[in-house]
Amino acid sequence: MLPFARAIAIRLNLLVTACGLCTPLLAEEPAAADASAAVDMSLEDLLNVEITSAARKSQRLNDVAAAVFVITREDIERSGATSIPEALRLAPGVNVARLANNRWAVSVRGFNSRFSNKLLVLMDGRSMYSQLFSGVLWEVEDTLLEDIERIEVIRGPGAAMWGANAVNGVINIITRRARDTQGNLLVAGAGSEESAFASFRHGGTAGDGHYRVWGKAFSRDESVTPEGHTANDYWRAGRAGFRGDWTMGGGHRLTVSGQAYYGPSGDTWQVPDIRSPAGVTLTDVRQTAQGGFLLARNEWTLQGGSEAAVQAYVAAGELEVAGQFKEQRTTVDLDFQHRILLGERHDLIWGLGYRYSRDDISSGGMISIQPQKQGFSLASAFIQDEITLLPDTLRLLLGLRLEDNSFSGFAPLPNARMIWTPSVNQSLWGSASRALRVPSRAELGAQVDGSVIPPRSPINPTPLPILITNFPNERDLGNETLTAYEVGYRHQFAPALSADVALFYNLYDDLRGQTTGTPRLVLAPPPPYILQPVFPGDSLKARTYGVEIAVDWSPLPWWRIQPIYSYLDLHAWSKTGDPGSLLRAAQLNDGDPQHQWSLRSSMTLSERQQFDLWLRHVGKLGDPGSPMYVPAYTTLDLRYAWRPTRDLEVSLVGQNLLDGQHPESVASLLPSRNLEIQRGYYLKAKWQF
Amino acid sequence: MRSSLCSWLLLFGCALAPVTQAVAQAAVTEAQAKAGFVLNFARYVEWPERAFSAREAPVLLCLLGRDEVAAALAALDGRQVQGRPIAIRRLANSDEARSCQVLFIAESEARRLALTLRAVAGQPVLTVSDADGFIDAGGAIGIVRSEGRLQFEINRLALEQAQLKASSNLLRLARNLADFKGRN
């Protein structure tokens, strides 16, 4: 439920939330002595002045009472990232593990897996969260990277503002206004892993507004198995979209956007097979995703100066893994939001939302999802008051969201935050909040063959194979809940040096574990086997704490250095002695790196040349011997860009340069093979005309 | 693996070789450049005669909110535009803005944008800000940052309602108008 998230996001989270307090950071700085040099310039000259200001970003963030990191379009461009999940590596506290060339596991503050279900991801106010898996299918959701204005990564629960499933974080992808993307843009490139890619965009005017239309297509190379054999994880995709922004009579601002996509991608599954001596049959599968959405939003200012917005979207998509399942889904979402300033002290926002999602899932093979058709509805109401206790110094934010959904019923989501700004260049904030995750459609209705234990093996001395099958829960499955405490501190030491530190302590309850059922003998159809059922249950608890540090430093006007560090300590345990639950807890304990750091250096060598370096380290997952074990890795990306003219840029990017191949995670949920990511390079040209 | 990495580094090294010296940045901060824009706007916008109380009355440049741009603008005090001196006035709230000729709204005041613009509605006041989405909110000229440079956007409807006339030169250079292409 994300009420006009795009429009409001930065204002709510970065400005509005902030500004009661904010005497901006540099207010006390005297104007530089040579200011006259700038003010005497002509408009034409001013338009050509290169601005370097590392301070700007942190300055806007200084007044936000949450752990927020903003990835700008320039950051994405200079990182060399070619997809949204790769760009998310830029933010602290985010764990991005590439499972294959077409699949990622992305999480914030722990519980990483391909279907990391505690993270809400939105693009321009549209939820990218899959109802089926309760996670984001990063190979399905995408846009033109050049159209992204910024990505706001909000660590910690955002449920009071953004709704259920915003448990560990919210990622808010905001695209540029149509009037900021006028003219034509052509991007094309090729490389070793990025086999070929091309994008085109055209922006123009229409009536009292602007529009853009765009298209992109790419084909990616396969990655490799640990033994170095080529894997079956090809990925091709085509996508087209548009956006238009208009100013209407009466101060109404209308935005309409839409997208259509089609993309096949490959995978190899280890399908459990009771006939096979090894217990699995390697099966190449082809996943096809297609669909689109249409979104409209209207914002206006009411008499009296309060602001309102209404947004609606329809999304329809089809996801098919040939021979396994095919999901067709249509979602309708409606949101309203109203912001009122009451006197000098209260900044009040309230809103209402409704979503209805209907699916039709046919399944076969190792997966069976029942019932075939199901609807999901979600109604919500929220209110948040930002109270200025001491002008420019102390603010209190109180928020409450009430949600009612057809899977798990009614739930209140409260949140309290406080921010203290003792001086213009530092701030200290703290929060306490509650969030929850709603069970997914698959958890409630999917029967999936998990694995086969072959006969006469160490753990199965019987003459019959054991088939472990995940069944849907026989009773109602509840929400996973989180109670979270956070504190953060930001300091702008100098115009070119700032630091941001956040600490958190999270307590989870009713996390998804397993209950082991009674085994039974299945004789028909032959061959006979022992069926061991397991059911999902809310049998796990967990505690996490950690710290995230981000520093932004420009030692020289043309050189910027951004180190980040994240520490996470996750401990999960089972409330029962059930072996399935104990196993699941062990998997959670081994699923995330304890340490992660990265160092970015961005050099603007001249008006025509840029040189960027990005060194990353991700700590080990689990210990050697654990099925989840992945060794620590350190890798390096380099980018060199040259602009022969102002409108043409040619860049050469090298990725994962420190080794030939390395694993980043192990497969979970779906029985994909473990694959490794290879060194890659690509050459890209970007032309604006 | 190692040799492959070395050849990579070598490749990048070669690419960098022609760069003899890193570019020396002109010593203009973002705030100073924004102040320069505001001064130019004051030069290229025509106010109705009734906007001024007397023939020699100054152009009143009012500042709402405090940040480094407002500080840089304060340095404009006493400069001449259109045969009049500029007088700087710092405002405590938007109610005092009706008598201004130019009103600069610092980003720190963005949360009260709607109220502020309402306070000067219909008055010959040129509103300028670097707040995100300023012209969408009904402001006249917004200063925006793109590709490491500053640009500006003009809301012609807002200028019209304020009875202000912008020169064709100003309109021509606005990013959202005329023949602007690419650069984004």
Side-chain angles (χ1 to χ4, degrees), chain A residues 459-539:
Chain A
I459 45 172
N460 177 19
T462 73
L464 295 177
I466 300 176
L467 172 65
I468 299 174
T469 298
N470 298 283
F471 282 87
N473 207 320
E474 290 162 326
R475 57 185 182 86
D476 285 344
L477 204 56
N479 295 318
E480 296 185 332
T481 63
L482 163 67
T483 310
Y485 306 93
E486 299 173 273
V487 289
Y489 177 68
R490 296 187 193 92
H491 197 146
Q492 180 93 37
F493 297 96
L497 176 64
S498 65
D500 184 332
V501 181
L503 292 102
F504 63 92
Y505 183 81
N506 289 348
L507 289 170
Y508 301 84
D509 202 353
D510 298 333
L511 290 181
R512 210 58 75 231
Q514 284 179 343
T515 310
T516 308
T518 317
R520 67 171 190 269
L521 190 63
V522 181
L523 295 170
Y529 62 96
I530 299 166
L531 176 68
Q532 172 63 67
V534 291
F535 304 92
D538 38 19
S539 55

Side-chain angles (χ1 to χ4, degrees), chain A residues 12-27:
Chain A
L12 278 190
N13 287 309
L14 302 187
L15 292 174
V16 170
T17 316
C19 286
L21 265 196
C22 75
T23 318
L25 289 172
L26 303 174

Side-chain angles (χ1 to χ4, degrees), chain A residues 306-622:
Chain A
S306 68
E307 294 161 45
V310 61
Q311 173 184 289
Y313 67 82
V314 182
E318 184 183 288
L319 180 72
E320 180 176 16
V321 175
Q324 299 295 341
F325 72 89
K326 181 162 116 175
E327 178 208 26
Q328 289 172 310
R329 178 173 296 280
T330 307
T331 302
V332 183
D333 186 287
L334 194 63
D335 278 293
F336 171 77
Q337 196 161 325
H338 185 202
R339 172 169 168 250
I340 319 154
L341 299 174
L342 290 174
E344 291 291 312
R345 286 185 181 274
H346 294 270
D347 188 346
L348 201 71
I349 302 165
W350 66 276
L352 298 169
Y354 181 77
R355 179 181 303 163
Y356 183 75
S357 186
R358 176 130 200 106
D359 60 33
D360 184 341
I361 304 172
S362 44
S363 46
M366 56 172 282
I367 298 173
S368 163
I369 296 173
Q370 299 299 333
Q372 190 183 341
K373 295 180 183 179
Q374 196 169 46
F376 171 79
S377 67
L378 170 70
S380 63
F382 82 95
I383 185 160
Q384 177 184 290
D385 190 11
E386 185 185 319
I387 307 154
T388 303
L389 299 176
L390 291 171
D392 294 345
T393 311
L394 195 63
R395 271 178 310 135
L396 174 68
L397 277 91
L398 295 175
L400 177 67
R401 188 179 191 94
L402 303 174
E403 282 201 353
D404 191 27
N405 76 75
S406 58
F407 280 2
S408 61
F410 173 83
L413 303 163
N415 173 240
R417 291 176 186 272
M418 180 93 97
I419 180 163
W420 179 48
T421 318
S423 74
V424 290
N425 53 12
Q426 55 185 324
S427 60
L428 181 67
W429 60 268
S431 80
S433 36
R434 206 181 113 86
L436 58 82
R437 182 183 72 85
V438 175
S440 71
R441 171 79 156 92
E443 283 171 323
L444 292 169
Q447 179 184 325
V448 183
D449 290 348
S451 58
V452 168
I453 306 173
R456 301 203 171 80
S457 59
I459 45 172
N460 177 19
T462 73
L464 295 177
I466 300 176
L467 172 65
I468 299 174
T469 298
N470 298 283
F471 282 87
N473 207 320
E474 290 162 326
R475 57 185 182 86
D476 285 344
L477 204 56
N479 295 318
E480 296 185 332
T481 63
L482 163 67
T483 310
Y485 306 93
E486 299 173 273
V487 289
Y489 177 68
R490 296 187 193 92
H491 197 146
Q492 180 93 37
F493 297 96
L497 176 64
S498 65
D500 184 332
V501 181
L503 292 102
F504 63 92
Y505 183 81
N506 289 348
L507 289 170
Y508 301 84
D509 202 353
D510 298 333
L511 290 181
R512 210 58 75 231
Q514 284 179 343
T515 310
T516 308
T518 317
R520 67 171 190 269
L521 190 63
V522 181
L523 295 170
Y529 62 96
I530 299 166
L531 176 68
Q532 172 63 67
V534 291
F535 304 92
D538 38 19
S539 55
L540 299 186
K541 283 186 144 186
R543 177 275 294 142
T544 63
Y545 60 83
V547 59
E548 293 127 6
I549 302 168
V551 174
D552 196 331
W553 181 38
S554 292
L556 294 166
W558 50 272
W559 188 20
R560 184 174 179 195
I561 299 173
Q562 291 163 280
I564 58 174
Y565 171 73
S566 316
Y567 174 81
L568 171 74
D569 187 292
L570 187 153
H571 175 56
W573 66 95
S574 171
K575 294 187 275 188
T576 67
D578 188 281
S581 238
L582 294 169
L583 182 70
R584 186 79 195 108
Q587 285 174 349
L588 290 182
N589 284 323
D590 287 350
D592 299 279
Q594 202 160 35
H595 303 276
Q596 287 193 92
W597 56 261
S598 89
L599 178 70
R600 261 195 300 155
S601 152
S602 316
M603 293 179 170
T604 305
L605 300 171
S606 74
E607 207 169 304
R608 293 175 181 276
Q609 296 179 89
Q610 296 172 338
F611 177 63
D612 303 299
L613 175 155
W614 188 11
L615 191 64
R616 297 192 300 273
H617 174 84
V618 179
K620 68 180 171 69
L621 307 183

Side-chain angles (χ1 to χ4, degrees), chain A residues 301-307 339-341, chain B residues 111 113-115 118:
Chain A
T301 306
L302 285 85
Q303 293 296 325
S306 68
E307 294 161 45
R339 172 169 168 250
I340 319 154
L341 299 174
Chain B
R111 80 193 221 129
L113 219 47
L115 282 176
R118 186 160 293 266

Side-chain angles (χ1 to χ4, degrees), chain B residues 95-110:
Chain B
D95 300 338
E96 308 163 13
R98 297 172 71 88
S99 57
C100 307
Q101 276 77 54
V102 183
L103 174 64
F104 181 82
I105 305 163
E107 212 173 26
S108 63
E109 285 297 308

